[in-house]
Amino acid sequence: MQALVFHGPGQKSLDDRPKPALLGPGDAIVKVTRSTICGTDLHILKGDVPTCRPGTTLGHEGVGIVDAVGPAVTSFKPGDRVLISCITACGRCEWCRRAMYSHCTTGGWMLGNSIDGTQANFVRIPHADTSLYPIPPDSDEEALVMLSDILPTGFECGVLNGKVQVASSIAIVGSGPIGLAALLTAQLYSPSQIIMIDIDDNRLAVAKRFGATDTVNSASGDAPRQVMALTAGRGVDTAIEAVGIPETFKLCEDIVAPGGTIANIGVHGKKVDLHLERLWSHNVTITTRLVDSASIPMLLKIVSSKRIDARQLITHRFDFSQMLAAYETFAAAADTKALKVIVEM
């Protein structure tokens, strides 16, 4: 089979690899039909994720068809169409019982990290009963790829951790795919103001189309002043960091209101300064989280009912033979205007 393989920082290739085999009784082998590329894959290629070793097949998102199951798998059988969660969960350990599936003692974020991932013709899924989801009949499978990671991440790490409430004010720093996912899911809670911040006018225009009430281009360096002007000088109740660099986290510190919450989504590969000399007295909450994917069943219903149009996040489509071109397009989003790409296997 073919697989997109990580060979070290800045190095990747489309290689011939053996088809994965069942290694445990709870495993399933899934024939991947559609996958995508995540910003986290780019972080891996930058060397920001040391747990991903050279030789690993990348990817942690996708949908497919069950090809084989181990003897302990009871919820799926060959031929079933399934959504693959980016998080592998046993469902029984201490962390899983607390719905913190990303910390599962025998799972967590494994796919495309500590084990081979979904950017391949076939993928092995450990703990299949609790790591796969059946696809409802007549579902838009392209839209469902957005449920593997991006929508649950924006919702859980941004909206839920950020304590978004009715009539509250939000600023989302970063209008890339994950920031836009937070924007889409935040609207489930009817905030009165959603300010999207980015340096890319195209992405800000997309954010406006997706429901942002205001946009701020931060390229000039005066984003805090602009946000304060939009909020009558008080700042925002929730500041969501959706980039993963020191400058954007500092911006969240600059714009959060007293009593507000900074919710970090971004994958950080460098040290970030926490300015407690300013924030110590402001009753500010700072949250961090790796997506647990516990919200997938709920979001699956919302997307299936068209309450959220996940398909609008997709801007480009490629065949698997064009995987390297798909990476180039996704990595050059400022020029290509790419959000999420769909790769058909």
Side-chain angles (χ1 to χ4, degrees), residues 167-171 190-195 212-214 227 229-232 235-236:
S168 63
S169 59
I170 309 168
S190 300
S192 62
Q193 189 173 29
I194 305 177
I195 305 168
T213 59
D214 303 278
V227 172
L230 290 168
T231 58
V236 293

Side-chain angles (χ1 to χ4, degrees), residues 19-169:
K19 179 182 175 181
L22 297 168
L23 299 182
D27 288 355
I29 305 300
V30 175
K31 184 182 188 299
V32 182
T33 54
R34 291 178 177 87
S35 188
T36 186
I37 302 169
C38 180
T40 306
D41 297 322
L42 300 185
H43 277 285
I44 290 172
L45 287 166
K46 291 177 183 176
D48 291 344
V49 185
T51 50
C52 186
R53 301 296 182 87
T56 302
T57 298
L58 294 183
H60 49 267
E61 302 163 271
V63 297
I65 303 169
V66 175
D67 180 70
V69 296
V73 176
T74 60
S75 300
F76 301 98
K77 63 184 184 304
D80 287 347
R81 305 192 76 87
V82 291
L83 167 67
I84 301 167
S85 170
C86 63
I87 298 297
T88 301
C90 74
R92 297 185 297 273
C93 71
E94 173 190 357
W95 302 114
C96 284
R97 288 179 180 273
R98 293 169 60 181
M100 294 175 64
Y101 304 124
S102 61
H103 293 274
C104 175
T105 56
T106 55
W109 174 34
M110 301 176 72
L111 295 173
N113 179 17
S114 59
I115 66 172
D116 288 333
T118 58
Q119 291 171 12
N121 297 123
F122 293 87
V123 61
R124 179 179 69 91
I125 306 296
H127 303 309
D129 276 338
T130 43
S131 305
L132 296 173
Y133 295 86
I135 292 178
D138 303 319
S139 293
D140 183 338
E141 293 191 7
E142 285 193 348
L144 294 192
V145 174
M146 304 300 108
L147 286 172
S148 287
D149 180 1
I150 185 172
L151 280 176
T153 297
F155 182 60
E156 295 174 14
C157 304
V159 177
L160 294 185
N161 266 19
K163 304 174 186 175
V164 174
Q165 299 179 21
V166 173
S168 63
S169 59

Side-chain angles (χ1 to χ4, degrees), residues 265-284:
I265 301 178
V267 178
H268 290 271
K270 295 180 180 179
K271 181 178 75 70
V272 175
D273 291 331
L274 176 60
H275 290 280
L276 284 177
E277 75 278 6
R278 289 191 287 108
L279 297 177
W280 70 272
S281 61
H282 284 199
N283 290 37
V284 168

Side-chain angles (χ1 to χ4, degrees), residues 2 4 21 69 83 89 99 127 149 178 218 291 314 338:
Q2 291 277 288
L4 195 286
V69 296
L83 167 67
H127 303 309
D149 180 1
I178 201 68
S218 57
V291 63
I314 302 166

Side-chain angles (χ1 to χ4, degrees), residues 2 26 30 97 187 206 254 302 311:
Q2 291 277 288
V30 175
R97 288 179 180 273
Q187 292 172 72
V206 172
D254 291 339
I302 290 172
R311 192 185 181 93

